[in-house]
């Protein structure tokens, strides 16, 4: 099949002269028929083609490499989900599988999730449950199919009223729609209150992490003033978006315990879907048809298999060894080499190096001195392309591509942030290493001539092209897709620091889920205690209760009001009472411990240990140095505070 690149070259008759393109005006060779790409009245279609020259040249290099490598890997195929199937999978991934099917009667876990949802998130769940319900009835599945109203009614009926708490349970309502009306009013008031306090003074370039992204979008959509001011953004502008500091601390990927990250994943999926729903864009995760792929080696091996074999050699490793080595080798040759990443290695030599790496890399006998810098860059891109499933995953590759359809760059960044949270750990950490490397290349742009745009254009075909999708596109659609994915790549590189941040509102929803679970556990324990009283002597049981009460009173007495007890089991000073003040930060607490001498030489560096918030309404959370301790204590007064390294 003739590639888009070849047709572009024939159509435009471009030749490169001193870094500029000129057009051959030989009208006798002008192709007939409709234009290759129609911008519907735009006057800069040719400029768009020329500005994407790096993209098309990279495509040519990719096709040349594939032609040289006759051993085609087996392609992982992608299936378009059947009617209702996509919604079923969505509900399972969102942790709400108990809302339908044979397990519909045992939906306590799902009720905990539903108890913490915002108005827009609840609407997204409602929409998917209704679709699954209708599909099941059409197919006459012998499942218990609850009415969507009953689901949310059950959630509210199961709650007890708890006064004096920020997370007070809702009273029983008639149905889902009553709940949504009240949720809408509560969220609108919340957004208005936040707006009056800070949003009015916050610039358009501030990314608000405290309020649900979908709620922000809905509020903007419903705001008549915003509608008047709303206009098409200039796609060429990349604002300096920033993350305002949160007094309870910024949470990065890797800061939370696995059990809480699992909750974040479910909430991120619900929030992403709600955001797409509010903005009128369809989110359709793809489904992989499993096929046999390589189970060992380097190139064409899935990330989970690669990491499994690497972790046998280096336990705890998160990024494939070959990927790390290729990046380090490129950097050893200096990043100011002109055309780095853009200039390809010779295809035949790349194939030979690839085969030699497969045979010698793990044996440690491969001679890296023979690998030129441009060859290493080509091997790095080849590694990404040859993954049997894309680095951005089969499920969400299309969603990454569709981010560009969202109306504002702020929405696009918010969606990318949520999509990164949905990636498996191996994919996410490998993507992080790649984007950080690309930024280091861009930092040397004065010498290597690789600007943000150049790097993005070169990397797009390697990151976003996946043969398994098998979709048939027209030339016009192919060009439009190239432009869209190039813009997404630009955003991912430029604003990568945002991508690794877990929004505060998601962390707070995890806290609410934990508190709701604890409330239900206390209720269950109360029932068990009641049964126990029937079997054991009442007086003996009361003595046990009194003993426990005395212990609690004694522990509380150890720590005066406004003081926290910080443990540091691996430092010379293992425990210290810290007085909370308005200005005390987590970094100050760590510094105070490290300044203590106890007869031994202090060898621990500040960057090696962190203060952790453990228990209460969170599993475990590593605190950034700028966390204000008094504000966090008020949010989680039952937490324990421990200083340790991230490896502990």
């Amino acid at each position: 099949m003739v590639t888009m690149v070849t047709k572009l070259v024939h159509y435009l008759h471009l030749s490169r002269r001193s870094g500029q393109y000129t057009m051959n005006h030989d009208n006798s060779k002008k192709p007939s028929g409709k234009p290759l790409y129609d911008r519907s009245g735009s006057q800069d279609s040719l400029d768009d083609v020329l500005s994407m020259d790096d993209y098309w040249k990279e495509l040519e290099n990719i096709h040349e490499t594939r032609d040289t490598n006759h051993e085609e890997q087996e392609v992982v195929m992608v299936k378009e989900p059947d009617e209702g199937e996509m919604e079923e999978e969505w509900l399972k991934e969102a942790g709400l599988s108990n809302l339908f099917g044979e397990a519909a009667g045992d939906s306590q876990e799902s009720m905990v999730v539903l108890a913490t949802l915002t108005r827009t998130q609840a609407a997204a769940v409602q929409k998917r449950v209704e679709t699954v319900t209708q599909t099941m009835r059409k197919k006459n599945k012998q499942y218990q199919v609850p009415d969507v109203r009953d689901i949310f009614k059950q959630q509210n009926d199961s709650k007890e009223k708890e006064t004096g708490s920020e997370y007070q349970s809702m009273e029983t309502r008639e149905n889902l729609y009553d709940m949504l009306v009240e949720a809408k009013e509560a969220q609108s008031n919340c957004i208005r209150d936040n707006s009056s306090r800070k949003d009015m003074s916050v610039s358009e370039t501030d990314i608000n992490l405290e309020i649900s992204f979908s709620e922000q979008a809905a509020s903007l959509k419903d705001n008549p003033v915003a509608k008047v001011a709303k206009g098409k953004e200039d796609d060429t502008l990349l604002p300096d978006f920033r993350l305002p500091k949160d007094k309870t601390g910024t949470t990065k990927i890797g800061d939370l315990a696995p059990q809480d990250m699992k909750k974040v994943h479910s909430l991120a999926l619900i929030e992403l879907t709600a955001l797409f729903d509010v903005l009128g864009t369809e989110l359709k995760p793809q489904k992989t048809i499993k096929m046999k792929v390589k189970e060992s080696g380097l190139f064409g091996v899935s990330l989970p298999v690669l990491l499994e074999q690497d972790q046998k050699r280096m336990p705890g490793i998160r990024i494939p060894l070959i990927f790390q080595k290729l990046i380090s080798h490129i950097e050893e040759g200096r990043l100011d080499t002109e055309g780095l990443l853009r200039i390809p290695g010779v295809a035949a030599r790349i194939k030979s190096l690839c085969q030699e790496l497969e045979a010698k890399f793990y044996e440690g006998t491969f001679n890296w001195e023979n690998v030129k810098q441009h060859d290493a860059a080509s091997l790095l891109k080849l590694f990404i392309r040859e993954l049997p499933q894309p680095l951005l995953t089969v499920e969400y590759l299309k969603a990454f591509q569709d981010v560009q359809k969202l109306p504002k760059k702020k929405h696009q960044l918010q969606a990318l942030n949520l999509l990164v949270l949905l990636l498996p750990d191996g994919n996410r950490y490998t993507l992080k290493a790649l984007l950080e490397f690309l930024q280091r290349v861009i930092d040397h742009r004065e010498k290597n001539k690789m600007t943000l745009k150049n790097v993005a254009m070169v990397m797009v075909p390697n990151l976003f092209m996946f043969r398994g999708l098998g979709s048939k596109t027209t030339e016009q659609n192919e060009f439009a897709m190239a432009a869209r994915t190039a813009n997404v790549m630009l955003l991912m590189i430029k604003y990568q620091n945002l991508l690794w941040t877990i929004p505060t509102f998601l962390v707070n929803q995890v806290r609410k889920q934990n508190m709701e679970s604890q409330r239900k556990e206390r209720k269950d324990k109360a029932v068990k205690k009641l049964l126990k009283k029937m079997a054991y002597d009442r007086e003996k049981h009361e003595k046990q209760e009194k003993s426990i009460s005395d212990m609690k009173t004694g522990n509380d007495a150890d720590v005066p009001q406004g003081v926290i007890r910080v443990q540091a089991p691996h430092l010379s000073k293992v425990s210290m009472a810290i007085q909370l003040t308005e200005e005390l930060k987590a970094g100050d607490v760590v510094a105070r411990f490290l300044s203590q001498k106890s007869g031994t030489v202090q060898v621990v560096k500040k960057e090696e240990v962190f203060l952790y918030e453990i228990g209460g309404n969170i599993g475990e959370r590593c605190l950034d140095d700028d966390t204000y301790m008094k504000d966090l204590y008020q949010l989680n007064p039952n937490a324990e505070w421990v200083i340790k390294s991230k490896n502990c």
Side-chain angles (χ1 to χ4, degrees):
M1 188 175 117
V2 181
T3 67
M4 180 71 174
V5 181
T6 308
K7 291 189 176 183
L8 277 168
V9 173
H10 283 306
Y11 176 61
L12 297 172
H13 298 284
L14 300 176
S15 60
R16 193 160 201 169
R17 297 178 183 175
S18 303
Q20 300 294 324
Y21 283 96
T22 59
M23 192 172 192
N24 189 325
H25 293 285
D26 184 356
N27 293 329
S28 64
K29 296 181 180 179
K30 184 177 179 180
S32 59
K34 66 178 182 178
L36 182 62
Y37 179 62
D38 181 8
R39 287 278 301 217
S40 300
S42 173
Q43 299 180 7
D44 58 353
S45 59
L46 179 58
D47 291 338
D48 287 342
V49 174
L50 297 179
S51 69
M52 295 187 66
D53 176 55
D54 288 334
Y55 177 94
W56 306 118
K57 285 186 175 295
E58 183 67 16
L59 272 184
E60 284 185 309
N61 296 333
I62 290 172
H63 284 289
E64 183 181 348
T65 303
R66 282 182 180 167
D67 291 340
T68 305
N69 185 5
H70 298 296
E71 296 179 8
E72 282 285 324
Q73 71 175 78
E74 196 162 7
V75 178
V76 174
M77 299 304 293
V78 178
K79 176 181 178 291
E80 191 73 26
D82 296 330
E83 181 185 7
E85 184 182 4
M86 180 175 68
E87 287 77 11
E88 282 192 36
E89 291 298 323
W90 185 92
L91 287 166
K92 287 177 183 176
E93 190 173 351
L96 299 171
S97 59
N98 289 334
L99 294 183
F100 66 94
E102 295 172 335
D106 182 25
S107 55
Q108 184 168 316
E109 271 187 47
S110 298
M111 294 305 112
V112 170
V113 176
L114 294 175
T116 66
L117 299 185
T118 67
R119 171 198 58 166
T120 48
Q121 291 171 351
V125 172
Q126 174 194 347
K127 183 178 178 181
R128 273 77 199 169
V129 171
E130 286 177 341
T131 302
V132 172
T133 300
Q134 292 167 6
T135 304
M136 285 181 172
R137 285 174 178 156
K138 281 181 186 177
K139 295 180 178 179
N140 294 318
K141 286 192 176 181
Q142 298 303 309
Y143 289 141
Q144 179 183 353
V145 184
D147 189 281
V148 67
R149 302 179 182 220
D150 295 334
I151 290 171
F152 283 84
K153 183 175 184 297
Q154 180 185 356
Q155 170 210 337
N156 293 304
D157 287 343
S158 68
K159 290 183 174 184
E160 292 181 339
K161 189 174 181 181
E162 295 181 357
T163 57
S165 169
E166 181 182 356
Y167 306 116
Q168 184 175 352
S169 297
M170 302 177 187
E171 293 180 1
T172 303
R173 296 174 177 81
E174 288 295 322
N175 52 46
L176 166 64
Y177 302 98
D178 290 339
M179 175 192 163
L180 290 177
V181 168
E182 292 187 23
K184 180 175 181 179
E185 290 174 356
Q187 274 294 346
S188 297
N189 291 334
C190 175
I191 293 171
R192 268 198 301 274
D193 291 344
N194 278 282
S195 296
S196 62
R197 282 188 283 110
K198 46 189 161 179
D199 286 3
M200 294 302 289
S201 61
V202 168
S203 120
E204 274 295 309
T205 56
D206 282 350
I207 304 293
N208 187 339
L209 299 179
E210 296 181 38
I211 298 175
S212 156
F213 296 153
S214 57
E215 288 294 339
Q216 292 180 49
S219 178
L220 188 66
K221 196 174 179 182
D222 296 338
N223 186 342
V225 177
K227 285 182 181 178
V228 173
K230 185 170 65 176
K232 182 169 175 56
E233 283 189 326
D234 185 348
D235 287 340
T236 63
L237 295 178
L238 292 175
D240 290 326
F241 287 109
R242 73 182 191 94
L243 297 176
K245 287 287 185 182
D246 178 6
K247 296 196 82 173
T248 59
T250 300
T251 307
K252 295 286 187 179
I253 290 171
D255 287 348
L256 293 180
Q259 66 268 28
D260 284 338
M261 271 307 295
K262 186 177 179 181
K263 296 183 180 77
V264 167
H265 179 99
S266 299
L267 289 165
L269 176 61
I270 297 171
E271 173 64 16
L272 178 69
T273 307
L275 180 63
F276 271 60
D277 284 353
V278 168
L279 297 174
T281 302
E282 190 175 23
L283 179 66
K284 292 185 69 173
Q286 303 293 307
K287 185 177 180 181
T288 307
I289 297 178
K290 293 183 179 179
M291 298 183 68
K292 188 176 180 180
V293 293
K294 287 175 64 177
E295 295 182 358
S296 63
L298 300 174
F299 296 87
V301 179
S302 70
L303 275 179
V305 171
L306 265 176
L307 288 170
E308 184 180 355
Q309 64 187 25
D310 286 353
Q311 285 166 357
K312 292 175 182 176
R313 296 170 172 83
M314 192 176 293
I317 195 168
R318 293 172 166 177
I319 302 163
L321 291 171
I322 182 63
F323 192 83
Q324 294 185 51
K325 181 58 182 177
L326 286 169
I327 287 178
S328 66
H329 186 73
I330 294 168
E331 294 189 317
E332 285 170 9
R334 298 174 63 86
L335 293 178
D336 53 11
T337 303
E338 186 169 342
L340 185 61
L341 293 174
R342 184 179 64 230
I343 298 174
V346 177
R349 188 167 64 239
I350 297 303
K351 180 182 178 182
S352 175
L353 287 170
C354 189
Q355 292 172 342
E356 193 176 349
L357 276 167
E358 291 279 9
K360 298 180 179 180
F361 178 72
Y362 284 123
E363 294 178 0
T365 57
F366 181 80
N367 186 2
W368 285 95
E369 293 180 2
N370 294 335
V371 183
K372 299 178 181 179
Q373 196 177 32
H374 291 306
D375 292 342
S378 292
L379 286 167
L380 180 71
K381 292 185 291 185
L382 178 66
F383 173 85
I384 296 169
R385 287 197 309 274
E386 292 299 303
L387 287 171
Q389 296 194 26
L391 186 59
L392 301 179
T393 72
V394 168
E395 291 77 11
Y396 294 108
L397 179 62
K398 188 175 184 301
F400 273 96
Q401 295 169 345
D402 288 346
V403 160
Q404 189 65 20
K405 295 179 181 178
L406 302 182
K408 290 184 174 292
K409 281 195 169 55
K410 185 178 283 191
H411 297 143
Q412 294 166 12
L413 277 175
Q414 291 168 339
L416 286 172
N417 180 203
L418 295 168
L419 280 166
V420 165
L421 292 174
L422 291 173
L423 295 177
D425 288 347
N427 297 63
R428 188 165 54 233
Y429 285 116
T430 303
L431 176 64
K432 187 174 189 290
L434 174 64
L435 294 180
E436 289 172 346
F437 165 68
L438 296 179
Q439 184 57 57
R440 292 194 293 272
V441 172
I442 294 165
D443 291 341
H444 292 75
R445 57 189 172 276
E446 294 297 327
K447 292 186 177 180
N448 63 28
K449 311 301 180 188
M450 294 300 291
T451 64
L452 171 62
K453 189 170 186 179
N454 295 138
V455 170
M457 295 297 177
V458 168
M459 292 307 300
V460 160
N462 297 284
L463 201 60
F464 284 89
M465 283 180 61
F466 178 56
R467 286 169 287 170
L469 289 174
S471 57
K472 295 180 180 179
T473 59
T474 64
E475 293 166 355
Q476 182 171 336
N477 287 341
E478 187 177 351
F479 191 98
M481 176 61 73
R484 287 203 305 270
T485 51
N487 281 323
V488 172
M489 192 77 224
L490 280 168
L491 294 176
M492 290 174 68
I493 298 172
K494 181 172 176 64
Y495 304 111
Q496 57 183 279
N497 286 339
L498 168 65
L499 302 185
W500 320 119
T501 303
I502 303 176
T504 305
F505 71 87
L506 288 183
V507 177
N508 287 340
Q509 284 185 287
V510 169
R511 293 183 188 276
K512 291 178 184 179
Q513 283 190 25
N514 290 336
M515 291 189 71
E516 188 67 18
S517 295
Q518 291 164 10
R519 186 187 69 82
K520 291 183 182 298
E521 286 175 10
R522 286 196 300 270
K523 183 180 177 181
D524 292 342
K525 284 181 180 178
V527 173
K528 289 179 180 178
K529 282 185 179 181
L530 184 61
L531 294 174
K532 191 175 181 180
K533 285 179 183 180
M534 297 171 63
Y536 293 95
D537 180 75
R538 182 181 182 86
E539 185 179 349
K540 182 179 179 182
H541 181 67
E542 286 176 352
K543 287 180 180 179
Q544 290 174 345
E545 286 291 300
K546 186 177 185 303
S547 175
I548 293 172
S549 176
D550 291 343
M551 287 174 61
K552 287 182 177 179
T553 303
N555 288 338
D556 292 341
D558 285 346
V559 184
Q561 188 70 24
V563 175
I564 58 172
R565 171 76 56 187
V566 180
Q567 307 292 332
H570 302 289
L571 300 182
S572 56
K573 181 77 172 177
V574 296
S575 179
M576 188 186 298
I578 303 288
Q579 177 71 51
L580 295 175
T581 64
E582 295 293 337
E583 299 303 317
L584 181 71
K585 297 181 181 180
D588 301 330
V589 175
V590 174
R592 198 173 298 183
F593 266 85
L594 295 180
S595 67
Q596 299 293 315
K597 305 286 185 180
S598 182
T600 59
V601 179
Q602 192 72 41
V603 294
V604 179
K605 297 179 181 177
K606 189 173 186 298
E607 59 270 19
E608 295 176 349
V609 291
F610 303 88
L611 180 59
Y612 279 77
E613 166 196 9
I614 300 176
N617 55 37
I618 203 78
E620 181 174 291
R621 175 172 170 251
C622 180
L623 305 182
D624 79 80
D625 285 347
D626 290 329
T627 302
Y628 285 85
M629 294 305 299
K630 188 171 183 179
D631 292 84
L632 181 57
Y633 173 77
Q634 290 170 349
L635 181 64
N636 190 7
N638 296 319
E640 295 180 358
W641 313 96
V642 178
I643 294 176
K644 61 177 184 172
S645 70
K646 281 199 173 183
N647 296 325
C648 289

